[in-house]
Amino acid sequence: MSIIDLSPVPLTRDNFSGFGDVLEVNDAERILINEGTTERFHALAKLDVADRQGVGVLSIFRATARPRPIKIAMMERHPLGSQAFFPLANNRWLIVVSAAETPAPDNLKAFRARGDQGVQYAKNIWHHPLLIIEPSQDFLVVDRAGPGDNLEEIRFDDGAYARLFLPKS
Amino acid sequence: MSIIDLSPVPLTRDNFSGFGDVLEVNDAERILINEGTTERFHALAKLDVADRQGVGVLSIFRATARPRPIKIAMMERHPLGSQAFFPLANNRWLIVVSAAETPAPDNLKAFRARGDQGVQYAKNIWHHPLLIIEPSQDFLVVDRAGPGDNLEEIRFDDGAYARLFLPKS
């Protein structure tokens, strides 16, 4: 059984580019609207949910913290659509993804997101379910509803896992 | 020139049902996921953005407060798609809509939303651009991008307007 230690790196558009979109105002296209009272940081991500008559849906996920150290022993992906998460309270949170066809502890990447950063996982990107640092945190989630099986899960072989070390505050 | 005074009422699914969806956890379908660590309040709204090859896009709107009393002198609507707003800071905010074909000060309805409530305006519903109470507030916005003109605006005749009275805290 292999145990790997993972340290999250700060999330940026550059280091997340292979996995989807980072939703944040920094460096976004900015349009002044509503008689100058509102800045629109435009089209930070496009939804990709139309496969097989899918539609986009808005949900709220209420996450609770896992025991520490956080053990990453499985991953999931959505073969039919993108999935976006944005925190509704400005607390840091954690992201674990894999670019491998078969995720395993030694091919994971971990990111720490600020509380004003969301992400949209591209279709079919392996990621871990929600990981938070505070005891509880709500997220607005934009993903796909429709026909077909849109969830694949994989549990690592032989009880292998990665230990996720939390960022210092 | 007519001037009407408007007092916002608390936003509920019932009183907003003719205008779109209220995005909140209360009374929502609740699914326990992610090994019991996350509650999913599922499909609070479905996007309606597919007309004329439209796609959903995620943006951030940074609103600033208007001078008080807030004057409602115009309205807008999006004939090709729904538009959802969710506050990213837990501060109350304001909503003004009209069910009339031609909005005017005497056919407006005003709502006050909690900071943990979002809305999705249905396609073609007349509404006022973002109205906030705090000096500045960010919102995640989910609406349509694509071909065609998706914005209609109307300015009330003869300088008429409604005055929006803010809720007491």
Side-chain angles (χ1 to χ4, degrees), chain A residues 35-57:
Chain A
E35 305 173 288
T37 63
T38 301
E39 291 176 274
R40 178 178 180 130
F41 299 94
H42 181 58
L44 305 172
K46 281 186 186 177
L47 275 64
D48 176 10
V49 295
D51 281 5
R52 300 187 58 187
Q53 289 81 51
V55 296
V57 292

Side-chain angles (χ1 to χ4, degrees), chain B residues 150-162:
Chain B
N150 191 25
L151 176 62
E152 283 181 52
E153 291 178 309
I154 189 168
R155 187 159 287 277
F156 301 153
D157 285 340
D158 301 323
Y161 63 88

Side-chain angles (χ1 to χ4, degrees), chain A residues 71-148:
Chain A
K71 284 188 180 182
I72 307 297
M74 60 81 67
M75 297 282 274
E76 67 178 38
R77 64 178 177 179
H78 306 296
L80 298 178
S82 57
Q83 186 177 44
F85 292 85
F86 206 100
L88 298 180
N90 193 338
N91 300 314
R92 295 175 307 154
W93 58 294
L94 300 165
I95 290 163
V96 176
V97 292
S98 175
E101 180 54 31
T102 302
D106 62 359
N107 61 34
L108 304 178
K109 288 196 71 168
F111 300 94
R112 58 179 197 259
R114 299 190 313 268
D116 62 355
Q117 288 179 312
V119 297
Q120 177 169 279
Y121 299 116
K123 187 163 61 182
N124 238 2
I125 289 295
W126 288 110
H127 59 277
H128 194 274
L130 262 181
L131 295 168
I132 62 171
I133 297 173
E134 297 297 313
S136 174
Q137 192 168 359
D138 286 358
F139 292 75
L140 192 68
V141 176
V142 189
D143 61 4
R144 175 191 178 277

Side-chain angles (χ1 to χ4, degrees), chain B residues 57-158:
Chain B
V57 293
L58 303 171
S59 302
I60 292 173
F61 280 24
R62 177 160 290 171
T64 51
R66 293 165 184 257
R68 298 181 190 180
I70 297 173
K71 284 187 181 184
I72 307 298
M74 60 79 68
M75 296 281 276
E76 67 178 37
R77 65 178 177 180
H78 305 296
L80 298 177
S82 57
Q83 185 178 43
F85 291 85
F86 207 100
L88 298 179
N90 193 339
N91 301 314
R92 296 174 308 154
W93 58 294
L94 299 166
I95 291 164
V96 176
V97 292
S98 175
E101 180 54 31
T102 303
D106 62 359
N107 61 33
L108 305 177
K109 287 195 71 169
F111 301 94
R112 55 179 198 260
R114 300 190 311 268
D116 62 354
Q117 288 178 311
V119 297
Q120 178 170 278
Y121 298 116
K123 186 164 63 182
N124 237 4
I125 290 293
W126 287 111
H127 60 276
H128 193 273
L130 262 182
L131 295 168
I132 62 170
I133 297 173
E134 296 297 313
S136 174
Q137 192 168 357
D138 285 357
F139 291 74
L140 192 68
V141 176
V142 189
D143 61 3
R144 176 191 178 277
D149 184 359
N150 191 25
L151 176 62
E152 283 181 52
E153 291 178 309
I154 189 168
R155 187 159 287 277
F156 301 153
D157 285 340
D158 301 323

